[in-house]
Amino acid sequence: MGHGGLWPGFRTEFLRIPEADLTVVVIANLSTIDPWRQARTIARMILADLGRLKSGPAAVAEADVAPLAGTWFNAEEPSLFDLAWRSGEATVTQNGMPFVLARRADGWLAAERGSFEFAIKQAGADKLAVDLGAGRVLEFGKLGARNPVPNELAGRYVSADCGAAWTIARDGETWTMAVSGPLIAGGPLWTARGLDADTIEIVSPASWTTATQLAHLVRDNAGRITALEVSTGRIKKMRFERTE
């Protein structure tokens, strides 16, 4: 059992293993240190010294990841993630956040940290079964070439739920988003990337992390974009109505 915490420049981890009467606490004032991993390394060393360390599933190897590396997408959810072998580990990047996969006893590759509800298993050629938590297992397909952002996306979109307004415009080959609202105080412009015919990916840079969101393009009978339905890891289909 455990819980971590972080703030720019600080990271912590509290880990408890009741069966071994063992508690490990790691506190760091350097954001490049990984207390989650350090706490478990310390716990393994202690349990091995006590002769109480049990063997687990085999580690994930690069050969396990190579056939699955790439970008995976489910348009209905919508949800998108990248899978790559990075720094000697199977790494998923979802909603702008990277996390490492480990092998479970049942054969699935799952987020090694409990703060990410995520597991994958190959379900066929260019198909993955993805467990997003709460018993929701969806099929993802491997993404090929991205569609360009449609020219008719330019305009102003407002969400009544959060009071935010997005003004989307094209600047050469780049699509930018000026964002205003009660929780926005300056910062760099957001950008938009094409995904498929009805979805765009929004990149939101911040001072210490970069988040991504997916927006489904809602069209009227004439094909005109009338709204965006925006989804993140925690928010699903928040609606932004087009006002101009």
Side-chain angles (χ1 to χ4, degrees), residues 65-73 80-86 91-93 118 120 126 128 140-144 146:
V65 176
L68 307 177
T71 301
W72 297 84
F73 179 52
L80 178 81
F81 66 88
D82 293 309
L83 173 61
W85 185 258
R86 186 181 304 160
T91 304
V92 167
T93 303
F118 186 92
I120 61 173
D126 291 335
L128 284 179
F140 279 60
K142 205 165 192 177
L143 186 68
R146 288 173 175 253

Side-chain angles (χ1 to χ4, degrees), residues 3-14 26-36 38 97 113 208:
H3 198 285
L6 59 85
W7 193 253
F10 302 89
R11 300 179 73 176
T12 63
E13 182 68 21
F14 179 97
V26 179
I27 302 173
N29 61 353
L30 186 64
S31 60
T32 54
I33 290 176
D34 188 345
W36 187 95
Q38 287 199 344
M97 296 297 296
R113 305 189 184 205
W208 64 292

Side-chain angles (χ1 to χ4, degrees), residues 149-190:
V149 176
N151 287 326
E152 63 270 26
L153 180 68
R156 187 172 186 269
Y157 301 81
V158 176
S159 170
D161 291 320
C162 65
W166 294 357
T167 302
I168 305 176
R170 183 172 182 174
D171 183 9
E173 295 300 315
T174 303
W175 283 86
T176 63
M177 302 178 61
V179 181
S180 62
L183 302 179
I184 297 294
L189 291 173
W190 295 4

Side-chain angles (χ1 to χ4, degrees), residues 187-204:
L189 291 173
W190 295 4
T191 57
R193 303 174 63 198
L195 196 51
D196 69 1
D198 297 309
T199 317
I200 61 169
E201 183 181 21
I202 300 165
V203 181
S204 311

Side-chain angles (χ1 to χ4, degrees), residues 28 32 53 87 100 127 159 197 231 236:
T32 54
L53 183 63
S87 302
V100 173
K127 293 182 181 179
S159 170
S231 297
K236 298 301 177 187

